Amino acid sequence: MSGVRLVCHSVFEPGRAAEFMDGWTARMAETRKERGCVQYESFVSLDDPDRVVLLEHWTDQETYDEHWTLEQTRGPWPGEDVTREFTIEIYDDHALWELGEDMKWRPEKR
């Protein structure tokens, strides 16, 4: 499925990721109701509980732009003040790959 995908990496002050997740739960529920939101989920690392990854998937650039405009009106992110590192990777119109019967990966046929 094409669209816009984001992978957001956060590293929090030691022991503070749970505080972020507690505050972030309501924001995630709100965002999931937005037009074009396919995925909006956070994951805590099993190896480092202070590391959280947010996966976003939007149907297209227009709906992501609408989301980002709305996000700017919501104020600071819960836990933003305890974040040590934050990076975002953005992917758009990516090609999906499928594993063939010959066990070789190739771009999915559309």
Side-chain angles (χ1 to χ4, degrees):
M1 177 182 294
S2 63
V4 176
R5 290 184 182 265
L6 288 84
V7 180
C8 307
H9 304 264
S10 298
V11 179
F12 294 91
E13 297 296 333
R16 305 291 296 271
E19 177 183 331
F20 165 78
M21 292 301 289
D22 288 345
W24 193 246
T25 302
R27 177 80 62 96
M28 286 192 305
E30 236 178 272
T31 301
R32 288 182 185 130
K33 296 176 187 173
E34 293 177 31
R35 181 177 83 90
C37 182
V38 178
Q39 179 185 29
Y40 201 84
E41 295 181 86
S42 289
F43 301 89
V44 178
S45 170
L46 295 174
D47 297 326
D48 179 357
D50 295 320
R51 184 175 300 276
V52 175
V53 173
L54 169 67
L55 300 180
E56 297 185 43
H57 183 188
W58 299 88
T59 53
D60 53 36
Q61 187 67 48
E62 179 184 347
T63 58
Y64 174 72
D65 290 345
E66 287 173 10
H67 160 70
W68 187 246
T69 299
L70 181 59
E71 194 65 31
Q72 302 311 300
T73 68
R74 289 181 170 149
W77 297 324
E80 188 174 303
D81 59 327
V82 294
T83 305
R84 287 189 302 161
E85 296 174 29
F86 182 73
T87 59
I88 299 176
E89 301 168 28
I90 300 176
Y91 305 89
D92 62 350
D93 280 336
H94 57 280
L96 293 178
W97 290 64
E98 60 188 359
L99 184 60
E101 290 180 17
D102 60 359
M103 299 306 289
K104 292 186 180 177
W105 288 96
R106 58 184 55 85
E108 182 179 73
K109 298 173 189 158
R110 293 184 178 194

